[in-house]
Amino acid sequence: MSDFDRLDPEIKPVNYDIFFEPDLKKFEFKGVEVITVKSGKRVKQLRLNSKDLKIEQAWVNNESATVKLDGKNEIAVLTFKKPLEKINKVKLAFSGKNSEIHGFYKSSYRVDGEERYMLSTQFEPADARSAFPCFDEPSFKATFNLSLLVEEELMVISNTVIEKSEKIKGKKLVVFKKTPVMSSYLLYFGIGEFEKIEGFSGRTKVSVYVTPGKIGYAKLPLDYALKALKLYEKYFGLKYQLEKLDLIGIPDFSAGAMENWGAITFRETALLCNDKTPISERQGIANTIVHELAHQWFGDLVTMKWWDDLWLNESFATFMSYKIVDEMFPEWDTMLRYMNGIVAGAFSADSLKSTHAINCVVKRPGDIDELFDDISYEKGGSILKMIEGYLGEETFRLALHDYLTRHSYRNASKEDLWNSFMKEAVKRRIQFNTGMISQWIDKPGHPVIIVEPSENGFYLKQELFTLLKNGSGNWNIPVQYKTDKGEGRIVVKKEGSFIKSKAEWIKLNLNGAGFYRVFYSKPLLEKLGAAFRQGRISTLDAWSLENDLFVQARTGRVKLTEYLDFVRKFFMNSEYPLNSSVSNHLAWFFVMTYGERNGESVKSLVIDFHERMLEKIGWDKRKGERNINTILRGKAVASLGLAGNEKALKKASDVFELAFNGRKCDPDLKAAAYALKSWAGNSKLLGKMIEKYEKEDFPEESARLLNSMGMIGDVKALSEALDYSQTERVRLQDSFRIPMFASGNPEGKKLIWGWTRKNWKILERKNKMGTHSLHHYVDNLSGLSDRKSLREVEVFFKKNKRGDIKRAVVQVIERINANINFRKANDLQV
Ligand code: BES
Ligand code: ZN
């Protein structure tokens, strides 16, 4: 397909007056809008975006215009007799149908067993055009005057407060206050029955809206939002811009949450919680709320010029949310969680030859969708942390203040951000050149430094790291290091460097703060392990050491036994985040070698490692224990149980009996208990779980039940569970859960590819373009590790590659190839 069909930058909207009349019985809507349009040209034609809408009539400056729809490019062309003036009124009457899960869509919920419907919108990135004809690119900022005519008993929510509400024709006309100047993808309106609670942060009213019956789960999220709002205003040095902020739980929601200005929407599991919700899930919820709050500034107030700079939204929201949650709950170890949650994820995504630069070219409509990935979120977030580390927290903060102030109610690009960094750095005489930063944003991939000791020092050379085969590296890598003689800094250039030293050992990438890997020779590695044991390098240093060793073992560059031996020798009984990282990596090896010759040595380390962990933190909750230990306990029990440890399986079974029957138990062990019970279970258990699932109204429990159905150990029952996932009994938004968990289930790897292939047509039809969900089913194949499956996957996706999964396909093939390399290196059959 050719490049995007972009709109004419000289013809711009200034204001939209939009009226909607939705029909909640037929799920159709009618609308009339008047767009005030500024034009720099005297032309007799005008193009705007429209998708799946019927445009009944159009007028330009009161004269009727003809409309031609270009469905493929989602554009409506209006042609008229008199050329455009400087300011014009474009009036359109249109109608459309409510869709499923994106655009202007319907969502269902149950009240006392009865099914009811509401309407809601999800416009990012390019679906405002399926609700009303508009200039649907982020640069076309305008104000919106929205009004809706609805049944009297329904509530209507939009970005701003209600200006007036009046009875008309037995219905209710709700008129909203004019929005600030903003991009079309941020407009929101929702119509339905809601319950709400509210609170104030200064003069801003903050409310949580939920469908009836769920208000008991709204208090905690409201508290999170109130706390975060205050902290953001202080951090950015800029007040929140609107009179109110709503957080709305929508029963059917494709993503996790969406930052519509003043009206943030959430998937219910990403919002609803109470003090019985497992701490790890509460942390996730706090993080999601705080992420969307960051967007009220980064994204809504200042918006990227075009989608190629999406990272200006998402990387910042990722980084800021952890920073602010850390301030809200110092006891949550949030910045340490950043290492395993964000930085490790970034390395993993960026280790593929098929990765892309953070700032990347957007050529086709499917490209926009694909940009909401681990590179825009996790890698961008990791680089921002690195930049903050370099500039210092206060300089970084002031630069953000400068950037947000300068571009308020406008659009910005990465150059604008560099300018703000530069300005603040210069003021404080911090040496700073943009090339230093922009290389991480503009270049795909990341480097690895290979360290070779010599008689009188260490040779450092760099390569581009990828899972399959390294390339040549061309970064200027600012390196902080530590030796047994002291600390130092050096910039490693393309041609490599030499550190003259009499030191015994050297640890590069101090505290894992830089976005690059380091490979050491085996003797050096042993010395570093010993230095860690003696407390001479930090847990974070050991964390980066372990991550870099893992990736070498995972790709067959070093033997699995070498990794396992190293962990046994140096990392048993270690602290967070190292222990959690080891646990994750052991789990990866466990699944990969499950039921095979090498499997036994992995299994015995899985057991020893987690038994030691539980000896230290306790099998049962301790009063006042460190938060992270509560989480690790669940993780350790789950790992032990999968490896067949009796004590863990018994523990899981006990918790399951209580939890499943709604009795009091340790909530933080629920997920592990459900998973292990399933692991030991068969069709009978599946039947019990399905029965409970279909009666369950609390989304947290529904999700837990579905997730654990994907963990059933009996292959026949697992296959039934997979089929169940795509029936009408499971909401589209949750249909990915069972297959996703099945793909990580050691027994599931026998089924997942066959099932995916057999059901592909159904999956493709259900997970439409724009819902950003089809890729899950491609990602699920990343555990395949034999040549036959690889060939089949390659052939299959040659024929079945829709625009929004193109990159996912290339990536999964690369991962399968790396798995094959792992197996070859460890003498396993491929
Ligand atoms: N802007 C996104 C929502 C979005 C995602 C819109 C993909 C269109 C396509 C929102 O800010 C977001 O990033 N949501 C995350 C949650 C967050 C806590 C990482 C999500 O939905 O996963
Ligand atoms: Zn976001």
Side-chain angles (χ1 to χ4, degrees):
M1 210 198 297
S2 67
D3 278 11
F4 252 101
D5 214 348
R6 298 279 299 269
L7 300 179
D8 188 335
E10 284 191 63
I11 303 178
K12 303 184 244 206
V14 179
N15 178 65
Y16 293 81
D17 268 306
I18 320 178
F19 166 81
F20 280 105
E21 186 173 2
D23 181 337
L24 274 98
K25 297 230 159 54
K26 295 201 193 121
F27 302 111
E28 293 170 356
F29 58 90
K30 284 190 286 202
V32 181
E33 64 179 339
V34 178
I35 317 175
T36 309
V37 176
K38 225 165 135 177
S39 175
K41 292 177 169 167
R42 289 183 56 81
V43 289
K44 296 178 185 172
Q45 222 177 47
L46 175 153
R47 297 159 77 242
L48 38 65
N49 297 112
S50 179
K51 174 182 162 190
D52 301 333
L53 292 173
K54 197 165 151 208
I55 300 184
E56 324 271 1
Q57 255 187 313
W59 300 264
V60 174
N61 298 329
N62 284 324
E63 306 252 357
S64 85
T66 58
V67 183
K68 241 174 87 188
L69 292 175
D70 171 359
K72 181 172 153 267
N73 290 307
E74 302 173 357
I75 279 180
V77 186
L78 308 192
T79 311
F80 33 88
K81 294 216 176 75
K82 282 195 202 145
L84 289 177
E85 311 279 335
K86 276 203 175 105
I87 301 284
N88 308 271
K89 296 279 179 202
V90 177
K91 183 171 172 182
L92 295 150
F94 55 93
S95 63
K97 288 191 169 47
N98 293 113
S99 47
E100 208 177 357
I101 221 154
H102 66 131
F104 185 14
Y105 70 95
K106 61 169 190 275
S107 173
S108 70
Y109 56 96
R110 272 190 308 219
V111 180
D112 301 327
E114 182 198 85
E115 183 115 85
R116 301 200 192 163
Y117 293 92
M118 61 176 291
L119 299 175
S120 184
T121 63
Q122 167 61 42
F123 289 162
E124 191 182 18
D127 263 317
R129 63 187 70 176
S130 67
F132 60 103
C134 57
F135 296 79
D136 202 12
E137 294 181 14
S139 282
F140 292 115
K141 288 198 174 188
T143 50
F144 294 81
N145 284 316
L146 190 68
S147 56
L148 294 103
L149 188 65
V150 300
E151 277 69 32
E152 252 186 301
E153 65 279 10
L154 299 179
M155 269 168 107
V156 193
I157 308 170
S158 183
N159 305 80
T160 52
V161 295
I162 293 175
E163 192 169 73
K164 67 175 188 218
S165 173
E166 60 192 22
K167 269 197 200 170
I168 291 185
K169 297 194 276 180
K171 283 181 145 190
K172 178 168 76 174
L173 178 72
V174 182
V175 181
F176 289 92
K177 211 165 155 174
K178 193 194 270 294
T179 68
V181 183
M182 66 182 213
S183 306
S184 50
Y185 78 88
L186 292 168
L187 191 70
Y188 178 76
F189 38 100
I191 305 122
E193 299 169 288
F194 295 100
E195 292 174 4
K196 68 161 169 171
I197 57 167
E198 53 197 38
F200 278 86
S201 164
R203 273 186 299 172
T204 312
K205 187 200 258 188
V206 181
S207 315
V208 176
Y209 287 82
V210 295
T211 53
K214 298 177 188 135
I215 201 70
Y217 305 104
K219 176 76 177 62
L220 215 50
L222 177 64
D223 288 347
Y224 293 162
L226 287 168
K227 277 208 178 90
L229 197 60
K230 265 221 178 68
L231 289 170
Y232 273 128
E233 290 184 332
K234 193 165 137 240
Y235 182 88
F236 291 136
L238 287 169
K239 285 262 171 257
Y240 170 68
Q241 310 81 20
L242 303 173
E243 284 168 62
K244 63 93 177 173
L245 174 66
D246 298 330
L247 287 76
I248 315 155
I250 310 290
D252 297 277
F253 198 83
S254 170
M258 174 66 210
E259 69 264 27
N260 313 302
W261 212 349
I264 304 174
T265 45
F266 295 81
R267 174 185 281 260
E268 288 183 331
T269 48
L271 178 69
L272 304 181
C273 60
N274 62 15
D275 55 13
K276 303 251 169 2
T277 302
I279 179 70
S280 62
E281 290 183 39
R282 263 184 283 153
Q283 288 173 345
I285 286 168
N287 193 264
T288 306
I289 294 172
V290 180
H291 174 110
E292 304 310 334
L293 275 172
H295 279 313
Q296 306 300 300
W297 286 263
F298 267 100
D300 300 2
L301 180 63
V302 179
T303 314
M304 70 262 144
K305 281 205 173 95
W306 177 240
W307 298 106
D308 57 356
D309 264 327
L310 176 70
W311 73 281
L312 288 176
N313 280 7
E314 299 302 348
S315 308
F316 273 97
T318 302
F319 179 66
M320 285 310 307
S321 66
Y322 277 76
K323 233 180 132 54
I324 296 297
V325 169
D326 190 34
E327 241 185 293
M328 287 161 60
F329 299 101
E331 69 278 18
W332 280 4
D333 280 315
T334 304
M335 289 327 277
L336 292 181
R337 286 190 292 120
Y338 201 75
M339 301 306 282
N340 287 328
I342 302 298
V343 182
F347 274 124
S348 165
D350 203 38
S351 292
L352 299 169
K353 208 172 109 218
S354 51
T355 185
H356 59 91
I358 292 176
N359 170 273
C360 108
V361 186
V362 173
K363 280 208 197 115
R364 308 160 302 122
D367 289 350
I368 303 180
D369 231 48
E370 280 194 325
L371 269 184
F372 291 85
D373 67 356
D374 292 352
I375 299 300
S376 301
Y377 286 70
E378 268 95 341
K379 186 180 178 187
S382 306
I383 301 302
L384 289 177
K385 185 161 176 294
M386 187 162 90
I387 298 175
E388 191 203 43
Y390 184 79
L391 288 176
E393 285 189 74
E394 191 56 7
T395 309
F396 185 82
R397 189 184 74 79
L398 289 165
L400 300 194
H401 171 82
D402 181 74
Y403 168 84
L404 289 172
T405 314
R406 220 176 262 270
H407 308 289
S408 282
Y409 303 103
R410 296 211 182 93
N411 297 80
S413 64
K414 61 178 176 171
E415 285 78 18
D416 296 317
L417 184 67
W418 301 161
N419 287 341
S420 294
F421 279 144
M422 184 63 103
K423 190 177 145 226
E424 295 302 322
V426 166
K427 271 195 210 161
R428 282 164 202 78
R429 303 218 178 88
I430 299 170
Q431 211 197 357
F432 182 89
N433 69 59
T434 24
M436 200 85 154
I437 288 184
S438 60
Q439 58 175 344
W440 303 101
I441 304 292
D442 295 336
K443 278 206 260 210
H446 58 270
V448 52
I449 297 177
I450 296 156
V451 188
E452 275 160 19
S454 76
E455 291 260 307
N456 42 10
F458 302 94
Y459 284 103
L460 312 179
K461 78 176 197 224
Q462 65 161 297
E463 290 176 359
L464 162 77
F465 177 77
T466 78
L467 285 187
L468 295 179
K469 194 165 163 271
N470 286 357
S472 59
N474 185 14
W475 275 264
N476 292 319
I477 318 169
V479 171
Q480 261 189 291
Y481 62 86
K482 185 173 183 177
T483 71
D484 45 312
K485 305 268 187 282
E487 292 188 8
R489 281 169 188 270
I490 187 172
V491 175
V492 177
K493 300 233 164 92
K494 182 174 188 227
E495 55 281 5
S497 306
F498 181 70
I499 297 173
K500 197 163 181 269
S501 166
K502 287 267 168 269
E504 283 279 303
W505 53 259
I506 184 166
K507 168 68 180 58
L508 273 62
N509 197 2
L510 217 54
N511 289 322
F515 199 72
Y516 56 92
R517 294 191 179 279
V518 187
F519 292 168
Y520 303 91
S521 63
K522 200 166 174 201
L524 198 47
L525 205 58
E526 290 283 323
K527 285 183 195 157
L528 284 167
F532 171 60
R533 272 282 155 227
Q534 294 154 10
R536 300 176 72 182
I537 63 173
S538 69
T539 297
L540 280 174
D541 275 320
W543 178 90
S544 73
L545 211 60
E546 189 274 332
N547 272 267
D548 294 344
L549 186 60
F550 165 75
V551 87
Q552 294 180 76
R554 182 253 177 279
T555 54
R557 285 165 163 98
V558 309
K559 291 252 185 216
L560 173 60
T561 48
E562 193 176 317
Y563 172 84
L564 299 178
D565 291 345
F566 200 81
V567 168
R568 258 192 204 284
K569 209 159 155 191
F570 301 113
F571 295 154
M572 303 299 271
N573 257 328
S574 48
E575 290 289 320
Y576 191 81
L578 173 60
N579 52 5
S580 182
S581 176
V582 170
S583 172
N584 294 342
H585 294 149
L586 287 176
W588 193 89
F589 289 130
F590 179 78
V591 176
M592 195 49 81
T593 60
Y594 181 77
E596 305 198 48
R597 212 166 31 76
N598 287 3
E600 284 309 307
S601 56
V602 178
K603 191 162 135 183
S604 81
L605 183 56
V606 166
I607 292 178
D608 294 348
F609 185 83
H610 292 98
E611 274 185 339
R612 291 277 282 279
M613 189 187 267
L614 286 176
E615 271 165 36
K616 195 157 133 190
I617 65 177
W619 281 76
D620 293 297
K621 200 168 258 174
R622 293 173 178 167
K623 235 188 145 125
E625 71 183 2
R626 187 169 161 197
N627 238 285
I628 202 71
N629 288 346
T630 313
I631 294 170
L632 286 172
R633 179 175 301 111
K635 208 174 158 80
V637 169
S639 290
L640 282 170
L642 279 185
N645 175 282
E646 290 297 332
K647 192 171 172 189
L649 287 167
K650 170 80 175 50
K651 174 113 197 148
S653 190
D654 293 347
V655 174
F656 180 85
E657 286 314 317
L658 296 172
F660 198 78
N661 297 306
R663 299 222 299 280
K664 203 169 160 248
C665 69
D666 179 355
D668 298 293
L669 289 180
K670 274 190 191 173
Y674 279 38
L676 291 182
K677 188 75 183 180
S678 301
W679 176 238
N682 53 25
S683 294
K684 195 162 149 244
L685 179 82
L686 177 65
K688 258 175 72 178
M689 289 192 144
I690 289 179
E691 195 191 322
K692 177 151 200 267
Y693 169 74
E694 292 185 356
K695 280 196 282 209
E696 184 60 59
D697 278 327
F698 180 35
E700 178 193 308
E701 178 70 7
S702 304
R704 193 158 39 232
L705 284 163
L706 285 179
N707 294 349
S708 53
M709 288 181 214
M711 287 306 291
I712 298 231
D714 177 79
V715 177
K716 186 175 146 280
L718 184 59
S719 160
E720 289 163 19
L722 282 167
D723 288 340
Y724 179 71
S725 73
Q726 303 304 316
T727 63
E728 298 218 327
R729 318 304 290 262
V730 181
R731 287 177 193 269
L732 175 60
Q733 67 162 8
D734 292 320
S735 56
F736 73 94
R737 290 185 185 276
I738 295 177
M740 189 192 216
F741 276 76
S743 76
N745 170 339
E747 292 289 350
K749 64 180 177 183
K750 297 178 191 146
L751 295 180
I752 196 70
W753 168 223
W755 180 85
T756 304
R757 181 164 52 175
K758 193 171 111 220
N759 289 281
W760 189 254
K761 283 280 163 275
I762 300 172
L763 297 173
E764 217 175 34
R765 183 164 34 87
K766 286 177 68 167
N767 298 276
K768 296 196 174 52
M769 272 288 234
T771 58
H772 192 63
S773 50
L774 189 61
H775 73 95
H776 288 305
Y777 298 92
V778 180
D779 299 344
N780 285 348
L781 307 175
S782 65
L784 299 180
S785 57
D786 63 290
R787 287 209 178 94
K788 181 166 168 284
S789 304
L790 173 64
R791 258 193 312 275
E792 289 172 359
V793 167
E794 282 173 334
V795 171
F796 183 81
F797 284 108
K798 261 206 187 100
K799 279 187 259 145
N800 298 284
K801 53 175 170 210
R802 209 170 68 184
D804 55 340
I805 55 158
K806 262 189 143 156
R807 189 177 280 140
V809 168
V810 178
Q811 292 181 335
V812 89
I813 288 173
E814 219 178 319
R815 288 194 198 279
I816 299 172
N817 270 306
N819 298 346
I820 290 176
N821 286 350
F822 164 77
R823 296 179 64 89
K824 280 200 291 204
N826 294 290
D827 307 318
L828 292 163
Q829 245 195 341
V830 293

